[in-house]
Amino acid sequence: MNTISRLNYFKTHFLLSAPNIKLMPPEQGIEVAFVGRSNAGKSTALNALTKQKNLARTSKTPGRTQLINVFEVEPNCKLVDLPGYGYAAVPEEMKQQWQKSLAEYLQKRECLKGIVVLMDIRHPLKDLDQQMIEWAVSADKSLLLLLTKADKLSQAARIKQLKMVREAILPFQGDIEVEAFSSTNKIGIDKLSSKLNQWFAPMTEYLTEKE
């Protein structure tokens, strides 16, 4: 059995921002998308994973990520930060444009291998989160649900929420894993990187064989 290669996420660098998939890099390699409500902590999670404070923009104003932001870990191994869905204090027209970009990417990007859905552990599985999970399962995409801001709860409450979400997603019958996550207390970062390594494995094995 081959050992899955561990990528060095600290080397991740910003590649480009695109308003839609037409302006994204060519369909090469493997991409993993980060999605979630506008206040779920996507940018903070990316910064924690890569140990870079300013790799992804963070803001106290939900909805700052208005574009599809692409980051490269290794050649043909990319992380994609998608526009946040749900609450955002922006004009309705702009919000609709974000949703269109999000839907286009998720439905048409063939090199999309896995999806990381981030949800506040105190308020998981909102309607839009469940719609995202339902779509991903119907599209046969592998999912990792990260319950962010886990440091806001006691260990007992955290375990209770984790169990509740794991039971709640069973009816979706998809390839779904659920983990608690906190960039502040470094909870779940190793599990996130391990899952990403699993998703990127076909590409890293290919690159190793070429060497």
Side-chain angles (χ1 to χ4, degrees), residues 139-152:
D140 202 27
K141 300 294 182 186
S142 178
L143 281 163
L144 172 62
L145 309 187
L146 287 187
L147 305 184
T148 63
K149 307 179 185 181
D151 55 285
K152 304 290 186 184

Side-chain angles (χ1 to χ4, degrees), residues 126-156:
K126 297 284 190 182
D127 287 347
L128 289 172
D129 298 321
Q130 294 193 51
Q131 287 175 29
M132 175 63 65
I133 295 167
E134 189 174 3
W135 174 84
V137 170
S138 68
D140 202 27
K141 300 294 182 186
S142 178
L143 281 163
L144 172 62
L145 309 187
L146 287 187
L147 305 184
T148 63
K149 307 179 185 181
D151 55 285
K152 304 290 186 184
L153 298 182
S154 67
Q155 185 174 2

